[in-house]
Amino acid sequence: MKIFVINPGSTSTKLALFENEKVIWAAGAHHSSEDLQHFHHVNEQYEYRRDFIFRLLAEAGIPIEFDAVIARGGLLKPTPGGVYAINEQMKYDLLHARMEHACNLGALIADEMAKKCGCPAYIADPEVVDELQPAARYTGIPEIERISIFHALNSKAVSRKYAASIGKHYEELNLIVVHLGGGISVGAHCQGRVIDVNNALNGEGPFSPERAGTIPADQFAELCFSGKYTLRQVKKMLNGKGGLIAHLGTNDVASIAHKAEAGEEPYKGVLDAMLYTVAKQVGAMYVSLRGKVDAIILTGGIAHSDYCVGALRGQIDYLAPVVLIPGEDEMGSLAFNALGALKGELPLQVYHPQ
């Protein structure tokens, strides 16, 4: 099975060709600010990104003859997890998405490419996967409902891989999955559904290298109305300039961990505090699963850090066995999902949000 994978990021486009689960070609590039500056909306980048992909394939001598094309899912309307065939409703919602990001272009390009070679086009587990149980949606303010935005693709992929490694199905297990990256998400996976998870994008849960996480509401309200900051600046505090960047001026966790291991302050104190907030969120998800947890999976880029894993493990390993699956293989995860759909091992979902 030849599977072509497309992963557009805000300033990059990553591509890979797989034969089953083995990558046989990979390419991509960083798009400079000069290349993108004349686009006023991400939708205007469609032809630029599409032509870039076709050019790289032509230069590599790769014919457009695939068994499936799969793209990183965009910021759609909330939908359950799984593999989705790209349909007209999905394309419409991506073109008119409330949240603007280059990932919204992936499915549009995949659909055009798949039509050229007569194969199916998919997405899988977009960031907006929403399987929250009813009680997890409420806050104390009726106008504000909790939103499910997390690292769904990697979280579900490592869950399935772990389940397979012990001879089980993902749908048979209760797992807590901790994705440790620029943002941090901690989800309660109950027999194949993420029944609770922190909003890892917009300010909830642990603080992270770039995000503020949950902060005292009254103090934050006073800050918002202090007259010192614009709405845009305040939102950047929550996502982009919060967390380790705000405290230490850097999001380089490897460098911070090296200094923390040597006992250097404030690096040790701040990093240990971040990991403490992660451990607290693991405890919350333990309660969501009523203490019935088969494993706690640590994944994402920070899971490569021995210091961070050791500090975190010491706070949570009495709850359930801790499993380490470091990194974030988005390309491999997408290929894994497409192959599962082609083989009939993963059911194909239909996108039709309410």
Side-chain angles (χ1 to χ4, degrees), residues 28 71 94 98 110 147 160 163 169 174 217 241 267 306 319-320 339 341 354:
L94 289 170
R98 183 173 62 86
I147 300 172
R160 291 190 181 99
H169 294 289
N174 284 356
K241 293 187 176 180
Y267 301 95
D306 290 341
L319 298 174
L339 184 62
Q354 301 300 317

Side-chain angles (χ1 to χ4, degrees), residues 4-204:
F4 188 62
V5 180
I6 303 170
N7 184 352
S10 57
T11 60
S12 66
T13 303
K14 298 176 185 176
L15 309 169
L17 179 60
F18 286 76
E19 281 188 357
N20 294 331
E21 291 187 67
K22 182 181 179 182
V23 63
I24 59 172
W25 176 81
H30 173 80
H31 304 297
S32 69
S33 57
E34 289 78 16
D35 289 336
L36 301 178
Q37 65 182 353
H38 60 282
F39 298 113
H40 301 294
H41 191 282
V42 72
N43 288 354
E44 297 174 8
Q45 297 180 24
Y46 178 81
E47 288 82 5
Y48 168 80
R49 300 267 188 162
R50 179 200 62 194
D51 294 347
F52 169 79
I53 293 170
F54 280 112
R55 186 173 71 252
L56 286 189
L57 287 170
E59 291 172 355
I62 296 173
I64 301 175
E65 298 172 357
F66 311 123
D67 294 292
V69 182
I70 187 166
R72 176 183 175 188
L75 298 170
L76 295 158
K77 293 179 180 177
T79 190
V83 185
Y84 286 83
I86 296 169
N87 60 20
E88 293 303 312
Q89 179 66 57
M90 181 184 296
K91 291 192 291 181
Y92 178 87
D93 286 352
L94 289 170
L95 284 169
H96 300 86
R98 183 173 62 86
M99 294 179 284
E100 185 181 348
H101 193 279
C103 64
N104 292 341
L105 300 174
L108 304 174
I109 297 170
D111 184 67
E112 179 177 339
M113 181 171 286
K115 285 176 178 173
K116 284 184 178 292
C117 58
C119 72
Y122 305 130
I123 67 164
D125 292 328
E127 288 90 339
V128 293
V129 163
D130 186 347
E131 300 164 341
L132 297 182
Q133 59 185 339
R137 299 186 185 279
Y138 283 84
T139 74
I141 299 176
E143 293 89 346
I144 299 176
E145 182 177 276
R146 292 186 68 239
I147 300 172
S148 177
I149 301 179
F150 69 109
H151 304 88
L153 177 62
N154 189 53
S155 295
K156 282 183 171 278
V158 297
S159 297
R160 291 190 181 99
K161 288 177 181 178
Y162 170 70
S165 75
I166 61 171
K168 298 270 190 178
H169 294 289
Y170 172 47
E171 293 75 15
E172 297 178 81
L173 300 176
N174 284 356
L175 304 167
I176 297 174
V177 181
V178 183
H179 181 102
L180 300 160
I184 294 175
S185 60
V186 184
H189 296 235
C190 181
Q191 298 179 349
R193 296 180 64 82
V194 183
I195 62 170
D196 202 349
V197 65
N198 63 293
N199 180 335
L201 181 66
N202 295 327
E204 186 185 40

